[in-house]
Amino acid sequence: MERPGGVLAAAHRGLDASTRRWWRLVGRRIDLEGEHTWLDAPMASGAVVRDGWLEEAAGRMGAGLEPPTAGAGLLADLADLDGPGFSATGVAREIRDFYAHTADWRMDAWSQWSPLFAPGGALVEGLFGRRVGQLALPVRPLDVSRGIDSNVHVFRSGTGEQVAAAWLRTLRSTGDYLFSGLYRVARLPGIAQPCVHVAFPLEDGNVQVFLRPEAGPDGSFVLTSPPGPFGSVGAYVVARAGGVVSAAKLPLHERFRLYLDPEQVLRTDHDLWLGRARVLQLHYRLVPRE
């Protein structure tokens, strides 16, 4: 007789497989080695993600993986995003330092869900986020009341160039994983302006976000993923099922604004939208570690 835990695990496997088949049905077939190489990003080999994808990702990129160290950053230099619509020289020094030395900053967070979407957020967190250790958007504000811990692993080419970074974020109170993502600079086909490319691995798939950079007149830094057609900046889901890889553009839109408050404390406002409805507001306070 199968134990209850085995039944639950089988149900979870069935749910995950059904989800991948759904994205195959509604998405478009893509070629990650040809026309759609811009969507080639790490996937996880098992249901539980956490940090288990790092070594395989390093192998696929032909890069060396460094352990988390002080001074590691999501980007080698914010100026790597310079292009027709953005110049890092217009961004405050503290913000440039955060991206170049992310591991040297401590993060505190607050969250506020729209009442309409909070039940759905709790359902996704319960069925997927906490279980797989990925994309576990905090639903209860007290969950993040003690702050968020983060580790940054840098991927380097044979010549020592930083080609990407993995940012792993966990709840300080419990150690549970919230996000585990790959960060790098990317260029979409036909778009001259480089963007920030973030990929969150999942079993046989991932969620990816391409974010357009902007510099505010007050030295702030803004990243947006506005609505647009397939191939533009925005959010995508990629799933592999039955040997076929499919992708769909999601109606999710994000806006990050990093800025210095009147007391020169670095803060971030993060809004998540579904179509025209705001789903979630997150606020981060970023303080240099002693």
Side-chain angles (χ1 to χ4, degrees):
M1 181 176 180
E2 191 170 10
R3 295 180 179 180
V7 173
L8 183 60
H12 285 155
R13 289 194 297 270
L15 176 63
D16 294 344
S18 297
T19 302
R20 290 191 292 273
R21 287 194 294 268
W22 164 256
W23 288 118
R24 176 179 173 177
L25 178 65
V26 302
R28 64 175 68 186
R29 186 168 181 166
I30 61 172
D31 179 8
L32 293 178
E33 297 181 357
E35 180 184 358
H36 305 101
T37 54
W38 53 278
L39 282 171
D40 187 14
M43 299 182 185
S45 56
V48 179
V49 179
R50 297 174 184 164
D51 61 353
W53 56 275
L54 296 175
E55 293 289 348
E56 183 178 349
R60 285 183 57 84
M61 289 188 289
L65 175 63
E66 296 182 353
T69 57
L74 300 183
L75 305 178
D77 192 325
L78 199 64
D80 292 343
L81 292 169
D82 284 356
F86 173 77
S87 174
T89 57
V91 177
R93 175 186 57 82
E94 292 84 351
I95 298 174
R96 299 198 304 270
D97 182 79
F98 169 75
Y99 276 92
H101 307 288
T102 312
D104 292 345
W105 291 76
R106 178 185 173 95
M107 177 183 295
D108 294 311
W110 293 262
S111 65
Q112 179 64 54
W113 282 78
S114 162
L116 180 64
F117 292 99
L123 182 64
V124 171
E125 181 190 36
L127 289 177
F128 294 99
R130 293 285 180 92
R131 173 172 62 87
V132 306
Q134 179 65 290
L135 295 175
L137 291 169
V139 177
R140 295 168 295 275
L142 284 178
D143 286 347
V144 291
S145 62
R146 296 187 182 181
I148 296 175
D149 287 327
S150 66
N151 287 316
V152 178
H153 298 254
V154 171
F155 296 85
R156 294 194 187 277
S157 67
T159 60
E161 178 186 2
Q162 178 172 332
V163 294
W167 193 14
L168 314 179
R169 283 165 284 177
T170 57
L171 287 175
R172 190 168 299 145
S173 58
T174 65
D176 291 341
Y177 272 76
L178 293 175
F179 304 99
S180 176
L182 184 84
Y183 290 71
R184 57 189 172 189
V185 175
R187 288 174 173 80
L188 291 167
I191 300 177
Q193 174 60 55
C195 61
V196 175
H197 179 203
V198 186
F200 300 101
L202 295 167
E203 183 179 13
D204 285 330
N206 49 57
V207 172
Q208 303 182 37
V209 186
F210 295 86
L211 297 151
R212 182 177 62 203
E214 301 172 30
D218 56 352
S220 60
F221 179 57
V222 180
L223 290 169
T224 57
S225 59
F230 193 95
S232 65
V233 293
Y236 295 81
V237 62
V238 175
R240 183 171 55 203
V244 174
V245 181
S246 302
K249 196 165 193 294
L250 300 173
L252 293 173
H253 317 300
E254 291 184 271
R255 183 179 189 270
F256 297 82
R257 179 174 178 263
L258 287 80
Y259 61 95
L260 293 171
D261 71 10
E263 296 179 348
Q264 299 303 293
V265 175
L266 182 55
R267 297 182 179 273
T268 302
D269 292 329
H270 175 194
D271 293 334
L272 178 66
W273 298 75
L274 177 61
R276 296 184 178 181
R278 184 158 59 186
V279 175
L280 172 66
Q281 292 175 278
L282 291 162
H283 178 78
Y284 306 101
R285 180 177 61 196
L286 305 166
V287 181
R289 296 184 186 275
E290 296 182 359

